[in-house]
Amino acid sequence: MHRAHAIFMTGMWIERYPRVAAGLAADPLFEVADHSYDHEAFVTPCYGLGRTHDMRRSLRRTEALLDRLDPGHPRFFRFPGGCFDKAALKAVAAEGLTPVQWDVIGGDAFATSKDAIVKQTLDGVRGGSIVVLHLGGGKPSGLTDAALPAIVRGLRERGLRPVTLSTLLRHR
């Protein structure tokens, strides 16, 4: 398998699943990065998410947890729900983080079949794409796990090679 994954973790997820988080951080196939402390939106409305009361505190709390897991981890941040405004961008920059968005939504957050995730991902992907998929509790995570081998196979059939986010962004 290629180094292909940036795992954007919330601080609460790290605290709830410390062994899994540590295992992912130690695995050379993965890069770990910040997805806020509690997955509260940085701007609303945002897909029904509640709004964080202190963006910078949310970032600092998660960065402290990530620093313990993986000192020197990439300083990337993904906004909950992908929602942001100028104030949110300013808060992220003030904490020394690089915000990362995606251009392909895998659709796994609300999918009811692995085939739908594979189709939606492969229909949108092109060289240089950043795909958003989810890991976490609930039904979709199992579907994501089931879809990944077919997604990687489909990428390879198109001559695309998964790389880490750090590698991708260095070449843009």
Side-chain angles (χ1 to χ4, degrees), residues 128-171:
S129 283
I130 297 174
V131 178
V132 65
L133 294 167
H134 298 80
L135 84 100
K139 185 177 179 182
S141 65
L143 293 174
T144 305
D145 292 347
L148 279 173
I151 291 170
V152 172
R153 212 171 22 258
L155 293 173
R156 289 183 179 151
E157 287 169 2
R158 294 177 184 189
L160 299 174
R161 184 177 57 90
V163 298
T164 61
L165 189 54
S166 293
T167 298
L168 177 67
L169 296 179
R170 262 195 308 271
H171 294 289

Side-chain angles (χ1 to χ4, degrees), residues 8-42:
F8 288 86
M9 301 180 186
T10 66
M12 288 177 70
W13 194 89
I14 294 167
E15 290 173 343
R16 183 166 184 182
Y17 304 103
R19 285 191 212 153
V20 176
L24 290 169
D27 190 323
L29 293 174
F30 299 100
E31 293 180 322
V32 295
D34 194 327
H35 192 41
S36 80
Y37 180 76
D38 55 11
H39 205 264
E40 294 285 320
F42 279 41

Side-chain angles (χ1 to χ4, degrees), residues 6 8 34-35 43 46-47 76-85 89 92 98-105 128-132 165 168-169 172:
F8 288 86
D34 194 327
H35 192 41
V43 61
C46 185
Y47 301 102
F76 298 135
F77 176 73
R78 183 170 82 80
F79 288 101
C83 305
F84 62 93
D85 61 10
L89 289 170
V92 170
T98 299
V100 176
Q101 287 293 85
W102 56 86
D103 64 308
V104 177
I105 297 172
S129 283
I130 297 174
V131 178
V132 65
L165 189 54
L168 177 67
L169 296 179
R172 280 198 168 170

